[in-house]
Amino acid sequence: MDAAMVDRLSAGEGWALLQSLPPYDEAASLGLQGRLRDAGFAADLVAAALTQSRLRARAADKFGEFAAGMLFTPDGLEQATRLPVAARHAHRYAAAGIREVHDLGCGVGADAMALAGLDLTVHAVDADDVTARVAAVNLRHWPSAHVTHGLAEDVCLPDVAGPSHLGLWLDPARRVSGVADISGRTKRVFSLDAISPSWQQVQAFAARVPATGAKLSPAFPHRALPPGTEAQWTSWNGEVLECAVWWGPLATTPGRTASVATEASTWLVTEADAEEGTRRPPLGSVAEVGEWLYEPDRAVIRAGLTGALVDAVEGAELAGGVGYVSSRAAHEVAWARRFRVLEAMPLSTKHLARWLRDHGHDRVTIKKRGVTLDADQLRRQLKMTGRGRGGSEATLVLTRVGGGQVALVVAPA
């Protein structure tokens, strides 16, 4: 989709066509395309409208009912902030007294929509002309939001020396424009220097405007966190979506935090929560594994705050950095899963296969962390095919304890 097609889809015949389409159905799309062309619609307009219909169907998971009135690009939808998470971003600015935000790298406009929804003035910019036009369509309901096509680095910003109502939000591009992977999608980048604007440029923006926030990859390295800032890893229904770094008045809890969110609730885990548990040494041998195994939400693991779970369940991590925590007591922790340990043994394919057969298992679900084993290969070695034996399924946790690889057979509590 080029800029001209965005303009055609967002007005007149194109918008009417797009809004008249039935709910997207992949199986029916070819027939619908033919009927629309027979009705006199241009072939390129029909193809673009059906692509938008497909993207809107995918976007409903992130944007809910708003998706039905929006335009998207494939990359823009993939990188867009989920709307409830964008709302949390926006509330940070509002709570800090920020009234005007420059959204540098606005994408399809998710965060700008959330900011404008709180009556903040939003100046949104995107380096891609098509994406900027798409964002303008998505922000059309908010007169306080304006979108321009340009580079974040070229935006003229004032130097803010003291308290101010001005804030910045950056969502650096993590895909290389014009460079495609084997699937035809633009190539993803992972280095902080390869994102655009780069991490160095993001920090330079924050030096000029203290109330700055930046959305980064969940792989953001802890060592890169500037002093006095807050890095918050956010998960939604168990999926880690981002690490957002906050400066100045937006850093409500300096250091590393984890936000574990669902449709109904949000839990915050901080370095203070993890301080006591971090001091406790991990287990020394498989013989020390307790009756209960706990797995924290992945945002907690990414944030390096497994110590909070260690403290909450009065246990110990199996090994430094693996994230699994063992305890002899049963506790309910909202942001962790609990399993009963049925067996714990050093990892030996022969011994593990025998134990599984003796206990009537003919198939396995494998969870692994801290080991490099190939799960499919191990399943074949264990001969856990589940073909016609009438056995049951076992859940295996493959990880490390005391420097060695271990296998835990567990059951959800």
Side-chain angles (χ1 to χ4, degrees), residues 105-299:
C106 66
V108 298
D111 283 286
M113 289 168 60
L115 291 163
L118 294 181
D119 295 327
L120 276 65
T121 298
V122 183
H123 307 284
V125 176
D126 200 89
D128 181 72
D129 185 28
V130 170
T131 303
R133 289 171 186 252
V134 166
V137 173
N138 296 338
L139 287 160
R140 66 193 182 280
H141 300 299
W142 292 278
S144 65
H146 308 279
V147 185
T148 58
H149 169 221
L151 297 175
E153 297 89 329
D154 293 338
V155 175
C156 184
L157 297 171
D159 289 311
V160 179
S164 170
H165 295 301
L166 180 67
L168 297 185
W169 171 249
L170 297 105
D171 186 354
R174 293 187 289 276
R175 289 189 177 274
V176 181
S177 178
V179 181
D181 59 20
I182 59 174
S183 65
R185 301 297 305 280
T186 51
K187 185 178 179 181
R188 187 186 295 273
V189 297
F190 298 95
S191 167
L192 287 176
D193 292 330
I195 61 176
S196 181
S198 71
W199 177 232
Q200 184 176 2
Q201 290 169 324
V202 170
Q203 293 180 85
F205 280 121
R208 295 184 61 183
V209 181
T212 291
K215 176 183 171 182
L216 302 166
S217 163
F220 179 78
H222 296 175
R223 64 181 180 278
L225 184 62
T229 61
E230 176 183 357
Q232 183 167 99
W233 281 260
T234 296
S235 68
W236 181 264
N237 291 334
E239 179 187 2
V240 185
L241 303 178
E242 67 179 31
C243 173
V245 178
W246 304 98
W247 282 261
L250 304 176
T252 56
T253 309
R256 291 172 283 110
T257 64
S259 174
V260 181
T262 66
E263 290 87 350
S265 303
T266 300
W267 298 273
L268 181 68
V269 183
T270 70
E271 288 188 35
D273 297 324
E275 184 176 0
E276 183 65 30
T278 301
R279 298 194 188 102
R280 299 181 187 178
L283 298 184
S285 71
V286 70
E288 298 176 15
V289 174
E291 181 181 358
W292 301 101
L293 182 74
Y294 296 83
E295 181 181 22
D297 183 90
R298 289 183 178 274

Side-chain angles (χ1 to χ4, degrees), residues 289 291 293-295 298 318 324 337-345 347 352-353 355-357 359-369 375 378-379 382 384 391-399 406-413:
V289 174
E291 181 181 358
L293 182 74
Y294 296 83
E295 181 181 22
R298 289 183 178 274
L318 296 190
Y324 290 115
R337 296 181 63 192
R338 176 163 57 95
F339 301 87
R340 183 182 294 274
V341 178
L342 306 178
E343 184 68 23
M345 68 184 80
L347 182 54
L352 180 57
W355 190 96
L356 292 169
R357 288 195 301 270
H359 289 78
H361 301 297
D362 64 357
R363 58 194 184 278
V364 291
T365 294
I366 298 176
K367 300 165 62 70
K368 65 188 185 78
R369 192 177 300 137
L378 177 63
R379 191 176 283 106
L382 294 173
M384 292 285 111
S392 59
E393 183 174 14
T395 299
L396 304 181
V397 175
L398 309 179
T399 185
V406 299
L408 309 181
V409 186
V410 302

Side-chain angles (χ1 to χ4, degrees), residues 21-25 28-37 46 50 53:
L21 295 177
Y24 185 76
D25 180 355
S29 62
L30 188 60
L32 177 60
Q33 183 175 14
R35 292 193 297 275
L36 292 171
R37 292 173 64 176
V46 170
L50 288 177
S53 180

